[in-house]
Amino acid sequence: MSSMGIFGGTFDPVHYGHLRSAFEMLQALRFAEVRFMPCGTPPHRDPPVASAALRLQMVCDATAGEEGFVVDDRELQRTGPSYSVDTLSELRAEFADRPLALMIGMDAFLGLPKWHHWREILTLAHVVVAHRPGWRAPDLGPLGELLAERGTHRIDDLHATDAGRIFIHDVTQLEISSSEIRELVGAGRSPRFLLPDSVHNVIQQSGCYARCGEHSTSTGD
Ligand code: ATP
């Protein structure tokens, strides 16, 4: 059965770091699709700055017409915190025999033991980790043990079983982050070439990040 990558994030806003990683993994790991899944209320961090509707619109615009990219807004429809384990349980119920792969950056992977019912995640899906600049794979602690037990370098393993393996994938290192983009915009500078023009247009038209960053209070209207 064809494998599905699941790419969750705040996407506040979505940028080329997300899009390029997703695209490279879609191709290299032979996923049939990558599902972008904007989260509602992230349990581990500050609430998003842009509204759920705007974040969804930016993800839809950024991925429109791209074969293999799908947007799934189920986490935005739920109330309460967006736990990956709940989303994966839902997807597992829908796609009983299909390999699922949760795609996360190395920074997110290092925080995995703090996630709600984190050990259950690997019973529902594989975990595919994208290398991110400045972050190293753990060799100690619970994640080091998990990697020793579940880690694989074989792409075929992600297709042979439905869940349970961890694969670390080298993606082109693009040192772009949503928080830096928000600060840039808040400081009155342009985020062009860090994200698609369609996303830039939404940011300009909505003014959603105008108050972000150090200068936000001094430019008040
Ligand atoms: P923020 O700067 O607000 O923390 P972010 O840029 O990390 O945001 P998120 O929406 O939180 O964006 O990230 C969603 C997922 O994408 C996470 O798993 C994260 O590790 C990954 N990711 C984010 N930026 C990159 C990047 N430049 N390269 C590879 N993966 C990334």
Side-chain angles (χ1 to χ4, degrees):
M1 256 298 222
S2 49
S3 302
M4 179 198 293
I6 299 139
F7 194 20
T10 320
F11 302 126
D12 188 21
V14 63
H15 54 66
Y16 281 134
H18 301 128
L19 293 163
R20 182 69 204 174
S21 302
F23 184 65
E24 289 184 13
M25 293 207 255
L26 174 76
Q27 294 203 312
L29 307 184
R30 306 194 305 268
F31 291 150
E33 67 176 68
V34 167
R35 266 183 199 228
F36 286 75
M37 201 155 311
C39 69
T41 312
H44 308 288
R45 48 186 291 164
D46 292 339
V49 176
S51 68
L54 275 180
R55 290 184 295 115
L56 178 63
Q57 188 188 337
M58 290 190 277
V59 173
C60 287
D61 289 355
T63 56
E66 190 58 47
E67 206 181 330
F69 280 0
V70 173
V71 181
D72 186 327
D73 68 353
R74 73 183 64 216
E75 290 195 350
L76 299 176
Q77 308 295 348
R78 282 205 305 259
T79 51
S82 299
Y83 291 124
S84 297
V85 71
D86 296 338
T87 305
L88 291 173
S89 302
E90 266 184 44
L91 288 170
R92 179 47 75 209
E94 255 170 72
F95 304 102
D97 302 321
R98 198 164 168 181
L100 302 176
L102 182 67
M103 301 157 66
I104 54 179
M106 185 60 82
D107 56 318
F109 180 65
L110 294 178
L112 189 69
K114 294 200 196 95
W115 292 20
H116 190 59
H117 293 172
W118 70 281
R119 288 186 186 275
E120 216 179 293
I121 287 176
L122 277 162
T123 67
L124 299 163
H126 302 299
V127 174
V128 173
V129 186
H131 259 305
R132 246 185 121 171
W135 301 88
R136 267 193 61 222
D139 41 23
L140 298 172
L143 283 179
E145 280 166 33
L146 196 70
L147 265 179
E149 190 190 321
R150 307 293 192 112
T152 179
H153 300 289
R154 285 167 33 93
I155 292 170
D156 285 349
D157 286 342
L158 300 176
H159 298 270
T161 53
D162 293 349
R165 306 307 301 261
I166 304 173
F167 185 95
I168 299 181
H169 187 61
D170 277 319
V171 292
T172 300
Q173 306 284 284
L174 293 171
E175 202 159 357
I176 304 173
S177 75
S178 300
S179 41
E180 280 172 22
I181 291 174
R182 293 193 301 271
E183 278 183 28
L184 201 68
V185 175
R189 288 159 60 201
S190 171
R192 270 190 83 199
F193 307 119
L194 296 175
L195 36 65
D197 288 344
S198 56
V199 177
H200 186 203
N201 288 341
V202 175
I203 293 172
Q204 276 186 310
Q205 278 161 22
S206 66
C208 57
Y209 302 127
R211 294 178 161 273
C212 293
E214 298 172 351
H215 308 286
S216 55
T217 47
S218 58
T219 56
D221 43 21

